[in-house]
Amino acid sequence: MATERLGSILKQLSPSKSGASTYTQKNPDDIVITLAIRTPLCKAGKGGLKDTGLDLMVLTIIKDALRLSKLNPELIEDVCLGNVSNGRAASIARAASLAAGIPTTSAASAVNRFCSSGLKAVQDIANQIVVGSIECGLAIGAESMSEGGDRLEKPFTDAILAHPDGRDCMQPMGQTSENVGRDFNITRELQDRFAAESYQRAEKAQKSGWFDDEIVPFRAKVKDPKTGEEKEVTLTKDEGPRWGTTFEVLQKVRPAFKQFGDKSTGGNSSQVTDGAAAILMMKRSKAQELGQPILGKFVAATVAGVPPRIMGIGPSVAIPKLLTRLNLDIHQDIEIIEINEAFASMAVYCKDILKIDHEKLNVRGGAIALGHPLGATGARQIVTGLSECRRQRKQILLTSMCIGTGQGMAGLFVNEQL
């Protein structure tokens, strides 16, 4: 007994071999996640959520969060919605919160940092809890791409267009993908091989039921485009994975952005998708007081910028920035990584430049196979990543994504369900 006690003391005094141990310790002020859920991801314009507006999607996932957490709605002091395309997002966040049963004494807002909006919403709620503005908040990422995208239809003022980088913010995402492929020699073959792996991993995960604890079934009304007949369906699975997809199949797909290049295709780019995710957060002490299950904790998130014309490489600067500040090593400390596969060009570049072990990157496939509902992805990655950490009994999760106009964002989380 004395030997064990001495060993314990010596272990505490000895410097840790891994910086991760700093963040796996449990403290009352930790910002913890007590619920992490998402809808199925559905094909925009033709899938199960094509006739479900953003407002109903947000209302439904807030109701699901309240129902599954069994939390008194009066305890949720703020709701933050990450969304890209809907100009009414702030109004929807507030109205849907109230309709779901959260009282008028709470608040709601919307944030938009393009493809990182879901993670930005999580960071916003976490930061408010850290500084004592609120005790409990709900972060949501949601997008109905069936309702429209975020492409800039009108040019900026001449004063902005006169600046090269300002002008480059007008470039369509497909053009930026071709820029990355051309500038860094990410060949069509490399991109198609990566995409095939994404599809095959998603197929394996779907067949194995790995997504089941992430997804909350969604009851939706779907209209037949030919007859106009409306029927109610219960959505339970992601619609993006195409079972049986191979490299050879993808090689036959035509380039999607011929005016800009010949490497990016509909087969090796993220799918246009509808979906939502929700993350419930509070301090560890509050979760323990309320008897809430602790799934994991939010450690930190940061952003960084890159030239707009190669916006896809954003994770390659955001990830090192975050890990340097946290004194973590991507090879020794990080166990599961989710990088948004906006395009295979940027995913291959980031994987290679950061020397990421592909075995721990997007284990269940990524946006190429699952889809990329713009505002939802940053939150969806957390839901998926924590679920994969539970399955593998891993602790340290890193998420990241590129961001239109030349940015990257990254977040670090700890799974506590071992």
Side-chain angles (χ1 to χ4, degrees):
M1 195 72 165
T3 303
E4 291 178 1
R5 181 176 175 81
L6 179 60
S8 176
I9 294 172
L10 290 174
K11 187 176 181 180
Q12 293 177 39
L13 293 175
S14 301
S16 171
K17 295 180 180 179
S18 169
S21 62
T22 303
Y23 305 106
T24 56
Q25 297 175 11
K26 299 178 181 180
N27 300 295
D29 288 339
D30 290 337
I31 309 305
V32 299
I33 295 169
T34 60
L35 182 78
I37 57 173
R38 69 176 179 90
T39 69
L41 304 183
C42 300
K43 293 179 178 293
K46 55 184 177 181
L49 290 172
K50 70 180 180 66
D51 299 308
T52 299
L54 180 70
D55 50 0
L56 181 54
M57 199 185 304
V58 173
L59 171 62
T60 302
I61 202 158
I62 294 176
K63 284 184 173 180
D64 286 338
L66 293 173
R67 174 176 57 84
L68 294 171
S69 69
K70 299 178 182 178
L71 189 69
N72 183 345
E74 294 182 0
L75 296 174
I76 296 178
E77 296 175 78
D78 201 7
V79 173
C80 186
L81 168 63
N83 175 265
V84 177
S85 304
N86 196 307
R88 300 188 303 145
S91 297
I92 288 172
R94 175 62 170 167
S97 299
L98 298 175
I102 295 174
T104 57
T105 50
S106 75
S109 67
V111 294
N112 178 2
R113 200 197 294 272
F114 303 112
C115 301
S116 70
S117 298
L119 178 56
K120 173 65 176 169
V122 169
Q123 182 188 45
D124 182 273
I125 292 295
N127 287 348
Q128 287 195 77
I129 298 171
V130 167
V131 300
S133 296
I134 63 173
E135 286 191 301
C136 177
L138 182 64
I140 298 169
E143 200 76 41
S144 172
M145 296 189 75
S146 292
E147 292 184 331
D150 65 331
R151 184 171 179 173
L152 293 169
E153 300 296 338
K154 296 181 180 180
F156 296 125
T157 182
D158 289 344
I160 291 178
L161 296 177
H163 189 284
D165 289 331
R167 184 172 62 250
D168 284 346
C169 289
M170 287 291 301
Q171 289 195 17
M173 294 300 95
Q175 182 177 358
T176 70
S177 176
E178 291 291 358
N179 291 342
V180 170
R182 182 172 53 255
D183 288 8
F184 303 106
N185 194 30
I186 312 297
T187 65
R188 168 73 185 268
E189 178 180 347
L190 286 172
Q191 294 185 44
D192 282 350
R193 290 195 182 281
F194 183 93
E197 181 70 21
S198 182
Y199 276 110
Q200 290 158 14
R201 290 183 179 194
E203 177 180 344
K204 179 181 178 181
Q206 203 166 50
K207 287 180 175 178
S208 301
W210 295 351
F211 292 120
D212 293 352
D213 74 342
E214 300 180 35
I215 296 173
V216 178
F218 193 107
R219 294 179 67 182
K221 292 182 179 179
V222 181
K223 290 181 181 178
D224 186 308
K226 294 180 179 179
T227 66
E229 181 184 352
E230 188 176 79
K231 64 178 181 179
E232 188 172 273
V233 297
T234 299
L235 309 170
T236 59
K237 295 185 181 299
D238 298 322
E239 297 174 353
R242 302 174 185 132
W243 293 6
T245 297
T246 63
F247 167 72
E248 290 74 22
V249 168
L250 293 175
Q251 283 274 281
K252 298 175 182 177
V253 182
R254 295 177 181 177
F257 314 105
K258 288 184 179 180
Q259 67 271 44
F260 305 123
D262 60 2
K263 298 179 180 65
S264 294
T265 73
N268 62 31
S269 304
S270 59
Q271 298 181 38
V272 181
T273 311
D274 302 326
I279 311 288
L280 183 60
M281 307 172 73
M282 61 192 75
K283 282 189 177 181
R284 184 184 301 279
S285 56
K286 190 67 175 180
Q288 292 171 337
E289 173 191 330
L290 297 172
Q292 288 284 304
I294 296 175
L295 302 184
K297 74 174 179 179
F298 169 88
V299 176
T302 195
V303 290
V306 297
R309 64 177 298 279
I310 50 173
M311 69 91 201
I313 72 168
S316 72
V317 295
I319 289 173
K321 180 179 177 180
L322 178 66
L323 297 186
T324 297
R325 291 185 174 184
L326 297 176
N327 194 29
L328 294 174
D329 182 273
I330 196 167
H331 308 296
Q332 295 180 13
D333 299 315
I334 308 302
E335 296 175 296
I336 298 293
I337 302 174
E338 287 278 327
I339 292 181
N340 186 43
E341 299 168 356
F343 299 94
S345 59
M346 55 73 54
V348 172
Y349 174 85
C350 292
K351 174 180 70 69
D352 291 349
I353 199 71
L354 296 174
K355 296 180 172 58
I356 295 173
D357 180 357
H358 201 177
E359 291 302 309
K360 60 184 180 183
L361 171 66
N362 298 354
V363 179
R364 302 182 180 187
I368 290 172
L370 299 174
H372 174 29
L374 304 176
T377 289
R380 195 279 303 168
Q381 288 180 308
I382 300 167
V383 179
T384 300
L386 286 177
S387 177
E388 181 59 24
C389 283
R390 292 193 294 271
R391 187 185 73 83
Q392 290 196 38
R393 297 184 180 277
K394 303 292 187 182
Q395 286 186 285
I396 308 299
L397 167 67
L398 173 70
T399 70
S400 187
M401 68 289 294
C402 59
I403 304 170
T405 70
Q407 303 172 68
M409 190 168 188
L412 192 84
F413 305 84
V414 177
N415 166 48
E416 295 193 5
Q417 294 286 312
L418 298 174

